[in-house]
């Protein structure tokens, strides 16, 4: 059954502009948090928490850097210099965002911090596996998608081939999704089938893969509750993802009995609800809501954080 619940979040702030040559680039600061809560005999309790303060600079700041490993060394040195020069805030990591296209650089900086948060989520799953907290009797729900972007460097710590086994007992549950991307076997949209699900029903699980994303997935949809009192036909429906880990799974997909078991475990999490606390209550599992609230309670306030710089 599900005993662990993980959520990641980030808050980003534009704190300055920096002039490099004839261009002006934003400097983005971020608070990044990844938390896990664990269900015990009587209650849900905090289990693990990672909090990071990061800065995102344009890659042009490292004028000599020719590759990611050069940027990494430059960023480590810059972080050490900044941390030695003041003690108001400790910078855990400095990131660089690409500037090779004339796009919105603030969005690029935010996207880089988002990618950093995903890296922290992967590291958290790895740590939980090493602590034997994720096992056959204790599965993890990860809030959101498991569809991580492809990493070209196979030696990267988080390359799919190196972390795949960590996700054997991890399920991604997305409270928001684009139903038009779901397809039937004949290629037609599955949005109507998803909208017409009765409470506690699920769609068939389909095998999903794409060039943009590493690995193969089993993907299906489950209705937790009826849409009568909700805002739309997809309220009360969540998208579920399971990484296909073994060679047998990548060839044939998940057994229907396993999909049924995972769906039944999820339905056990449908109550209580956070109605009145969050507008997303119909799609939001209460343990995930508590985990998200736990992480955000550890953040510095916006005014406090910005005034640190």
């Amino acid at each position: 059954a599900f005993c662990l619940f993980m959520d990641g979040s980030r808050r980003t702030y534009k704190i300055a502009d920096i002039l490099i040559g004839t261009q002006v680039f934003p400097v983005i600061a971020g608070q990044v948090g990844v938390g896990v809560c664990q269900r015990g005999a009587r209650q849900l309790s905090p289990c693990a928490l990672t909090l990071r303060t990061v800065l995102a600079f344009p890659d042009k700041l490292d004028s000599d850097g020719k590759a990611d490993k050069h940027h990494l060394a430059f960023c480590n040195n810059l972080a050490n210099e900044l941390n030695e020069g003041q003690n108001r805030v400790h910078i855990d990591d400095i990131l660089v965002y690409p500037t090779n296209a004339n796009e919105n650089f603030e969005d690029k900086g935010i996207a880089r911090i988002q990618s950093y948060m995903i890296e922290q989520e992967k590291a958290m799953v790895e740590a939980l596996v090493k602590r034997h907290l994720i096992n056959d009797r204790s599965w993890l729900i990860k809030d959101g998608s498991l569809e991580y972007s492809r990493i070209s460097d196979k030696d990267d710590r988080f390359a799919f081939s190196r972390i795949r086994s960590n996700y054997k007992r991890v399920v991604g549950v997305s409270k928001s999704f684009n139903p038009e991307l779901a397809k039937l076997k004949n290629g037609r949209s599955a949005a109507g089938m998803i909208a017409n699900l009765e409470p506690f029903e699920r769609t068939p699980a389909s095998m999903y893969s794409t060039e943009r994303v590493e690995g193969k997935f089993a993907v299906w949809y489950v209705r937790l509750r009826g849409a009568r009192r909700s805002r739309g036909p997809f309220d009360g429906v969540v998208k579920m993802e399971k990484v296909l880990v073994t060679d047998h799974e990548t060839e044939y997909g998940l057994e229907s009995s396993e999909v049924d078991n995972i769906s039944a475990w999820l339905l056990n999490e449908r109550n209580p609800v956070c109605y009145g606390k969050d507008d997303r209550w119909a799609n939001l599992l209460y343990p995930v809501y508590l985990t998200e609230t736990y992480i955000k309670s550890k953040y510095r306030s916006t005014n406090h954080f910005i005034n640190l710089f």
Side-chain angles (χ1 to χ4, degrees), residues 18-73:
I18 184 170
L19 179 65
I20 302 177
T22 59
Q23 288 185 284
V24 176
F25 300 95
V27 177
I28 310 297
Q31 298 186 80
V32 176
V34 176
V36 178
C37 286
Q38 183 178 30
R39 176 179 289 116
R42 293 179 176 270
Q43 62 183 4
L44 200 70
S45 303
C47 173
L49 178 67
T50 297
L51 287 175
R52 295 284 187 270
T53 299
V54 299
L55 293 177
F57 286 96
D59 57 10
K60 289 185 183 295
L61 189 67
D62 180 16
S63 57
D64 297 327
K66 304 301 181 184
D68 288 342
K69 64 179 182 179
H70 299 134
H71 289 319
L72 179 61

Short mmCIF file of all heavy atoms in Angstrom, two decimals, residues 18-73:
data_model
loop_
_atom_site.label_atom_id
_atom_site.label_comp_id
_atom_site.label_asym_id
_atom_site.label_seq_id
_atom_site.Cartn_x
_atom_site.Cartn_y
_atom_site.Cartn_z
N ILE A 18 21.82 41.97 -14.62
CA ILE A 18 23.27 42.01 -14.77
C ILE A 18 23.60 42.33 -16.22
O ILE A 18 22.98 41.78 -17.15
CB ILE A 18 23.89 40.66 -14.33
CG1 ILE A 18 25.41 40.73 -14.39
CG2 ILE A 18 23.36 39.50 -15.13
CD1 ILE A 18 26.08 39.53 -13.76
N LEU A 19 24.54 43.25 -16.42
CA LEU A 19 24.95 43.68 -17.76
C LEU A 19 26.16 42.87 -18.20
O LEU A 19 27.20 42.86 -17.52
CB LEU A 19 25.30 45.17 -17.77
CG LEU A 19 25.77 45.76 -19.10
CD1 LEU A 19 24.64 45.71 -20.13
CD2 LEU A 19 26.27 47.19 -18.92
N ILE A 20 26.03 42.17 -19.31
CA ILE A 20 27.13 41.40 -19.89
C ILE A 20 27.25 41.82 -21.35
O ILE A 20 26.36 41.54 -22.16
CB ILE A 20 26.89 39.88 -19.77
CG1 ILE A 20 26.70 39.47 -18.32
CG2 ILE A 20 28.05 39.11 -20.39
CD1 ILE A 20 26.38 37.99 -18.13
N GLY A 21 28.35 42.48 -21.67
CA GLY A 21 28.50 43.04 -23.01
C GLY A 21 27.47 44.12 -23.22
O GLY A 21 27.39 45.09 -22.46
N THR A 22 26.63 43.94 -24.22
CA THR A 22 25.59 44.93 -24.51
C THR A 22 24.21 44.43 -24.11
O THR A 22 23.21 45.08 -24.40
CB THR A 22 25.58 45.25 -26.02
OG1 THR A 22 25.34 44.04 -26.76
CG2 THR A 22 26.92 45.86 -26.46
N GLN A 23 24.15 43.28 -23.46
CA GLN A 23 22.86 42.69 -23.08
C GLN A 23 22.65 42.73 -21.57
O GLN A 23 23.62 42.69 -20.79
CB GLN A 23 22.77 41.24 -23.56
CG GLN A 23 22.60 41.07 -25.06
CD GLN A 23 22.40 39.62 -25.44
OE1 GLN A 23 23.35 38.84 -25.45
NE2 GLN A 23 21.17 39.25 -25.77
N VAL A 24 21.39 42.81 -21.19
CA VAL A 24 21.01 42.78 -19.79
C VAL A 24 20.26 41.48 -19.52
O VAL A 24 19.32 41.15 -20.25
CB VAL A 24 20.13 44.00 -19.42
CG1 VAL A 24 19.66 43.89 -17.97
CG2 VAL A 24 20.90 45.30 -19.64
N PHE A 25 20.68 40.78 -18.47
CA PHE A 25 20.08 39.50 -18.14
C PHE A 25 19.59 39.53 -16.69
O PHE A 25 20.21 40.16 -15.82
CB PHE A 25 21.10 38.36 -18.28
CG PHE A 25 21.66 38.21 -19.66
CD1 PHE A 25 22.85 38.81 -20.00
CD2 PHE A 25 20.98 37.46 -20.61
CE1 PHE A 25 23.38 38.66 -21.27
CE2 PHE A 25 21.50 37.30 -21.88
CZ PHE A 25 22.70 37.91 -22.22
N PRO A 26 18.49 38.85 -16.41
CA PRO A 26 17.99 38.79 -15.03
C PRO A 26 18.75 37.76 -14.20
O PRO A 26 19.24 36.76 -14.71
CB PRO A 26 16.53 38.37 -15.20
CG PRO A 26 16.53 37.54 -16.45
CD PRO A 26 17.57 38.16 -17.35
N VAL A 27 18.84 38.04 -12.90
CA VAL A 27 19.34 37.08 -11.92
C VAL A 27 18.13 36.59 -11.14
O VAL A 27 17.37 37.39 -10.58
CB VAL A 27 20.37 37.71 -10.97
CG1 VAL A 27 20.83 36.69 -9.93
CG2 VAL A 27 21.56 38.24 -11.76
N ILE A 28 17.91 35.29 -11.13
CA ILE A 28 16.74 34.70 -10.49
C ILE A 28 17.16 33.95 -9.24
O ILE A 28 18.09 33.12 -9.29
CB ILE A 28 16.00 33.73 -11.44
CG1 ILE A 28 15.75 34.39 -12.81
CG2 ILE A 28 14.70 33.26 -10.83
CD1 ILE A 28 14.85 35.59 -12.76
N ALA A 29 16.52 34.26 -8.13
CA ALA A 29 16.74 33.51 -6.89
C ALA A 29 15.58 32.55 -6.68
O ALA A 29 14.45 32.81 -7.12
CB ALA A 29 16.86 34.46 -5.70
N GLY A 30 15.87 31.45 -6.01
CA GLY A 30 14.81 30.48 -5.80
C GLY A 30 14.92 29.76 -4.47
O GLY A 30 16.03 29.53 -3.97
N GLN A 31 13.77 29.46 -3.90
CA GLN A 31 13.68 28.54 -2.78
C GLN A 31 13.12 27.23 -3.33
O GLN A 31 12.04 27.23 -3.93
CB GLN A 31 12.76 29.08 -1.69
CG GLN A 31 13.21 30.39 -1.06
CD GLN A 31 12.34 30.78 0.12
OE1 GLN A 31 12.49 30.26 1.22
NE2 GLN A 31 11.41 31.69 -0.12
N VAL A 32 13.83 26.16 -3.13
CA VAL A 32 13.44 24.85 -3.66
C VAL A 32 13.27 23.89 -2.50
O VAL A 32 14.15 23.77 -1.64
CB VAL A 32 14.51 24.31 -4.64
CG1 VAL A 32 14.13 22.91 -5.11
CG2 VAL A 32 14.65 25.25 -5.83
N GLY A 33 12.13 23.22 -2.46
CA GLY A 33 11.87 22.27 -1.39
C GLY A 33 11.31 20.96 -1.91
O GLY A 33 10.49 20.95 -2.83
N VAL A 34 11.80 19.86 -1.36
CA VAL A 34 11.26 18.53 -1.64
C VAL A 34 11.03 17.86 -0.30
O VAL A 34 11.95 17.74 0.51
CB VAL A 34 12.22 17.68 -2.50
CG1 VAL A 34 11.65 16.28 -2.68
CG2 VAL A 34 12.45 18.34 -3.84
N GLY A 35 9.80 17.44 -0.05
CA GLY A 35 9.46 16.84 1.23
C GLY A 35 8.75 15.51 1.07
O GLY A 35 8.12 15.24 0.05
N VAL A 36 8.86 14.69 2.10
CA VAL A 36 8.21 13.38 2.13
C VAL A 36 7.55 13.22 3.49
O VAL A 36 8.14 13.50 4.53
CB VAL A 36 9.21 12.23 1.92
CG1 VAL A 36 8.51 10.87 1.99
CG2 VAL A 36 9.93 12.38 0.58
N CYS A 37 6.30 12.77 3.46
CA CYS A 37 5.60 12.40 4.69
C CYS A 37 5.34 10.89 4.66
O CYS A 37 5.14 10.31 3.59
CB CYS A 37 4.28 13.17 4.84
SG CYS A 37 4.51 14.91 5.30
N GLN A 38 5.34 10.30 5.85
CA GLN A 38 5.18 8.85 5.97
C GLN A 38 4.01 8.53 6.87
O GLN A 38 3.84 9.15 7.93
CB GLN A 38 6.46 8.23 6.53
CG GLN A 38 6.43 6.72 6.65
CD GLN A 38 7.75 6.17 7.17
OE1 GLN A 38 8.46 6.83 7.93
NE2 GLN A 38 8.11 4.96 6.76
N ARG A 39 3.21 7.57 6.46
CA ARG A 39 2.08 7.14 7.27
C ARG A 39 2.54 6.10 8.28
O ARG A 39 3.13 5.08 7.93
CB ARG A 39 0.97 6.55 6.40
CG ARG A 39 -0.19 6.01 7.24
CD ARG A 39 -1.31 5.43 6.41
NE ARG A 39 -2.05 6.49 5.72
CZ ARG A 39 -2.09 6.62 4.42
NH1 ARG A 39 -1.42 5.79 3.64
NH2 ARG A 39 -2.79 7.59 3.86
N GLY A 40 2.28 6.39 9.55
CA GLY A 40 2.56 5.45 10.61
C GLY A 40 1.30 4.73 11.02
O GLY A 40 0.31 4.68 10.28
N ALA A 41 1.31 4.17 12.23
CA ALA A 41 0.16 3.40 12.70
C ALA A 41 -1.06 4.29 12.90
O ALA A 41 -2.19 3.87 12.69
CB ALA A 41 0.51 2.68 13.99
N ARG A 42 -0.83 5.54 13.31
CA ARG A 42 -1.96 6.40 13.66
C ARG A 42 -2.01 7.71 12.89
O ARG A 42 -3.05 8.34 12.84
CB ARG A 42 -1.92 6.73 15.16
CG ARG A 42 -2.16 5.51 16.05
CD ARG A 42 -2.08 5.89 17.50
NE ARG A 42 -2.40 4.76 18.38
CZ ARG A 42 -3.59 4.45 18.80
NH1 ARG A 42 -4.62 5.21 18.46
NH2 ARG A 42 -3.79 3.40 19.59
N GLN A 43 -0.89 8.16 12.34
CA GLN A 43 -0.88 9.48 11.75
C GLN A 43 0.17 9.59 10.65
O GLN A 43 1.01 8.70 10.48
CB GLN A 43 -0.59 10.54 12.82
CG GLN A 43 0.78 10.39 13.48
CD GLN A 43 1.00 11.40 14.59
OE1 GLN A 43 0.12 12.17 14.92
NE2 GLN A 43 2.19 11.41 15.16
N LEU A 44 0.08 10.70 9.93
CA LEU A 44 1.05 11.03 8.90
C LEU A 44 2.08 11.97 9.51
O LEU A 44 1.72 12.98 10.13
CB LEU A 44 0.35 11.71 7.72
CG LEU A 44 1.06 11.71 6.37
CD1 LEU A 44 1.09 10.31 5.78
CD2 LEU A 44 0.35 12.66 5.41
N SER A 45 3.37 11.66 9.33
CA SER A 45 4.43 12.44 9.96
C SER A 45 5.50 12.81 8.94
O SER A 45 5.72 12.06 7.97
CB SER A 45 5.08 11.64 11.10
OG SER A 45 4.13 11.24 12.05
N PRO A 46 6.19 13.95 9.12
CA PRO A 46 7.31 14.29 8.24
C PRO A 46 8.38 13.20 8.29
O PRO A 46 8.70 12.68 9.36
CB PRO A 46 7.83 15.61 8.83
CG PRO A 46 6.65 16.18 9.57
CD PRO A 46 5.91 15.01 10.11
N CYS A 47 8.91 12.88 7.14
CA CYS A 47 9.90 11.81 7.02
C CYS A 47 11.23 12.33 6.52
O CYS A 47 12.29 11.93 7.01
CB CYS A 47 9.37 10.72 6.09
SG CYS A 47 10.52 9.42 5.69
N ALA A 48 11.21 13.22 5.53
CA ALA A 48 12.45 13.75 4.95
C ALA A 48 12.14 15.10 4.32
O ALA A 48 11.04 15.33 3.82
CB ALA A 48 13.01 12.78 3.92
N LEU A 49 13.14 15.97 4.33
CA LEU A 49 12.96 17.31 3.78
C LEU A 49 14.29 17.83 3.24
O LEU A 49 15.32 17.70 3.90
CB LEU A 49 12.44 18.28 4.84
CG LEU A 49 12.25 19.74 4.41
CD1 LEU A 49 11.13 19.86 3.39
CD2 LEU A 49 11.96 20.62 5.62
N THR A 50 14.24 18.36 2.03
CA THR A 50 15.38 19.03 1.43
C THR A 50 14.98 20.46 1.09
O THR A 50 13.99 20.67 0.39
CB THR A 50 15.84 18.32 0.13
OG1 THR A 50 16.27 17.00 0.44
CG2 THR A 50 16.99 19.07 -0.53
N LEU A 51 15.71 21.42 1.60
CA LEU A 51 15.49 22.83 1.30
C LEU A 51 16.77 23.42 0.71
O LEU A 51 17.84 23.23 1.29
CB LEU A 51 15.09 23.62 2.55
CG LEU A 51 13.68 23.39 3.10
CD1 LEU A 51 13.50 24.16 4.41
CD2 LEU A 51 12.61 23.83 2.10
N ARG A 52 16.65 24.10 -0.40
CA ARG A 52 17.81 24.68 -1.06
C ARG A 52 17.53 26.13 -1.46
O ARG A 52 16.42 26.46 -1.89
CB ARG A 52 18.18 23.88 -2.31
CG ARG A 52 18.64 22.45 -2.06
CD ARG A 52 20.07 22.43 -1.52
NE ARG A 52 20.58 21.07 -1.44
CZ ARG A 52 20.46 20.29 -0.37
NH1 ARG A 52 19.80 20.73 0.69
NH2 ARG A 52 20.97 19.07 -0.36
N THR A 53 18.53 26.97 -1.32
CA THR A 53 18.49 28.34 -1.83
C THR A 53 19.44 28.41 -3.02
O THR A 53 20.62 28.05 -2.90
CB THR A 53 18.91 29.35 -0.77
OG1 THR A 53 18.01 29.28 0.34
CG2 THR A 53 18.89 30.77 -1.33
N VAL A 54 18.93 28.83 -4.18
CA VAL A 54 19.73 28.81 -5.40
C VAL A 54 19.65 30.15 -6.11
O VAL A 54 18.70 30.93 -5.91
CB VAL A 54 19.28 27.69 -6.35
CG1 VAL A 54 19.44 26.32 -5.69
CG2 VAL A 54 17.83 27.89 -6.80
N LEU A 55 20.64 30.40 -6.93
CA LEU A 55 20.65 31.56 -7.82
C LEU A 55 20.85 31.07 -9.25
O LEU A 55 21.66 30.15 -9.48
CB LEU A 55 21.76 32.54 -7.46
CG LEU A 55 21.67 33.27 -6.12
CD1 LEU A 55 22.92 34.12 -5.91
CD2 LEU A 55 20.43 34.15 -6.07
N ALA A 56 20.15 31.65 -10.19
CA ALA A 56 20.30 31.31 -11.61
C ALA A 56 20.85 32.51 -12.36
O ALA A 56 20.24 33.58 -12.38
CB ALA A 56 18.96 30.86 -12.20
N PHE A 57 22.04 32.34 -12.95
CA PHE A 57 22.69 33.37 -13.74
C PHE A 57 22.71 32.95 -15.21
O PHE A 57 22.61 31.76 -15.53
CB PHE A 57 24.15 33.54 -13.28
CG PHE A 57 24.32 34.26 -11.97
CD1 PHE A 57 24.45 33.55 -10.79
CD2 PHE A 57 24.35 35.65 -11.92
CE1 PHE A 57 24.61 34.21 -9.58
CE2 PHE A 57 24.52 36.32 -10.72
CZ PHE A 57 24.65 35.60 -9.55
N PRO A 58 22.88 33.92 -16.13
CA PRO A 58 23.03 33.56 -17.55
C PRO A 58 24.34 32.83 -17.78
O PRO A 58 25.35 33.12 -17.12
CB PRO A 58 22.99 34.91 -18.26
CG PRO A 58 23.45 35.90 -17.23
CD PRO A 58 22.93 35.38 -15.92
N ASP A 59 24.36 31.90 -18.73
CA ASP A 59 25.60 31.16 -19.00
C ASP A 59 26.70 32.05 -19.54
O ASP A 59 27.89 31.70 -19.47
CB ASP A 59 25.34 29.97 -19.94
CG ASP A 59 24.70 30.38 -21.26
OD1 ASP A 59 24.62 31.59 -21.56
OD2 ASP A 59 24.27 29.46 -22.00
N LYS A 60 26.37 33.23 -20.07
CA LYS A 60 27.39 34.14 -20.57
C LYS A 60 28.27 34.69 -19.45
O LYS A 60 29.35 35.23 -19.71
CB LYS A 60 26.74 35.31 -21.33
CG LYS A 60 26.13 34.92 -22.67
CD LYS A 60 25.63 36.15 -23.40
CE LYS A 60 24.96 35.75 -24.72
NZ LYS A 60 25.90 35.14 -25.65
N LEU A 61 27.81 34.56 -18.21
CA LEU A 61 28.64 35.01 -17.08
C LEU A 61 29.94 34.21 -17.03
O LEU A 61 30.98 34.75 -16.65
CB LEU A 61 27.86 34.86 -15.77
CG LEU A 61 28.50 35.47 -14.52
CD1 LEU A 61 28.53 36.99 -14.63
CD2 LEU A 61 27.71 35.07 -13.28
N ASP A 62 29.88 32.95 -17.40
CA ASP A 62 31.07 32.12 -17.47
C ASP A 62 31.59 32.19 -18.90
O ASP A 62 31.32 31.31 -19.72
CB ASP A 62 30.71 30.68 -17.08
CG ASP A 62 31.91 29.74 -17.14
OD1 ASP A 62 33.05 30.25 -17.18
OD2 ASP A 62 31.70 28.52 -17.15
N SER A 63 32.34 33.23 -19.21
CA SER A 63 32.77 33.48 -20.58
C SER A 63 33.73 32.42 -21.10
O SER A 63 33.86 32.23 -22.32
CB SER A 63 33.42 34.86 -20.69
OG SER A 63 34.52 34.96 -19.78
N ASP A 64 34.42 31.72 -20.20
CA ASP A 64 35.38 30.69 -20.62
C ASP A 64 34.76 29.29 -20.67
O ASP A 64 35.39 28.34 -21.12
CB ASP A 64 36.59 30.66 -19.68
CG ASP A 64 37.37 31.97 -19.71
OD1 ASP A 64 37.41 32.58 -20.79
OD2 ASP A 64 37.91 32.37 -18.66
N GLY A 65 33.56 29.15 -20.14
CA GLY A 65 32.93 27.83 -20.07
C GLY A 65 32.51 27.32 -21.44
O GLY A 65 31.84 28.03 -22.19
N LYS A 66 32.90 26.10 -21.75
CA LYS A 66 32.58 25.50 -23.05
C LYS A 66 31.64 24.30 -22.93
O LYS A 66 31.13 23.82 -23.92
CB LYS A 66 33.87 25.05 -23.74
CG LYS A 66 34.90 26.16 -23.93
CD LYS A 66 34.36 27.31 -24.75
CE LYS A 66 35.43 28.39 -24.93
NZ LYS A 66 34.90 29.58 -25.65
N ALA A 67 31.43 23.83 -21.70
CA ALA A 67 30.59 22.64 -21.51
C ALA A 67 30.00 22.69 -20.11
O ALA A 67 30.38 23.52 -19.28
CB ALA A 67 31.40 21.37 -21.71
N ASP A 68 29.06 21.77 -19.85
CA ASP A 68 28.38 21.75 -18.56
C ASP A 68 29.36 21.57 -17.40
O ASP A 68 29.20 22.17 -16.34
CB ASP A 68 27.34 20.62 -18.52
CG ASP A 68 26.13 20.94 -19.39
OD1 ASP A 68 25.94 22.12 -19.72
OD2 ASP A 68 25.37 20.01 -19.71
N LYS A 69 30.39 20.72 -17.58
CA LYS A 69 31.34 20.49 -16.48
C LYS A 69 32.15 21.75 -16.18
O LYS A 69 32.52 21.99 -15.02
CB LYS A 69 32.26 19.33 -16.81
CG LYS A 69 33.17 19.53 -18.01
CD LYS A 69 34.07 18.30 -18.22
CE LYS A 69 35.02 18.51 -19.39
NZ LYS A 69 35.90 17.33 -19.59
N HIS A 70 32.41 22.58 -17.20
CA HIS A 70 33.09 23.85 -16.97
C HIS A 70 32.19 24.81 -16.21
O HIS A 70 32.63 25.50 -15.28
CB HIS A 70 33.54 24.48 -18.30
CG HIS A 70 34.50 23.64 -19.08
ND1 HIS A 70 34.36 23.41 -20.42
CD2 HIS A 70 35.60 22.94 -18.70
CE1 HIS A 70 35.32 22.62 -20.84
NE2 HIS A 70 36.10 22.32 -19.81
N HIS A 71 30.92 24.86 -16.61
CA HIS A 71 29.96 25.71 -15.91
C HIS A 71 29.82 25.27 -14.45
O HIS A 71 29.70 26.11 -13.55
CB HIS A 71 28.58 25.65 -16.59
CG HIS A 71 28.53 26.34 -17.91
ND1 HIS A 71 29.13 27.56 -18.15
CD2 HIS A 71 27.91 26.00 -19.08
CE1 HIS A 71 28.91 27.93 -19.40
NE2 HIS A 71 28.16 27.01 -19.98
N LEU A 72 29.83 23.96 -14.20
CA LEU A 72 29.68 23.45 -12.84
C LEU A 72 30.82 23.92 -11.95
O LEU A 72 30.60 24.37 -10.82
CB LEU A 72 29.61 21.92 -12.86
CG LEU A 72 29.47 21.23 -11.50
CD1 LEU A 72 28.17 21.67 -10.82
CD2 LEU A 72 29.49 19.71 -11.66
N ALA A 73 32.06 23.82 -12.46
CA ALA A 73 33.21 24.28 -11.67
C ALA A 73 33.13 25.78 -11.42
O ALA A 73 33.41 26.25 -10.31
CB ALA A 73 34.50 23.92 -12.40
#
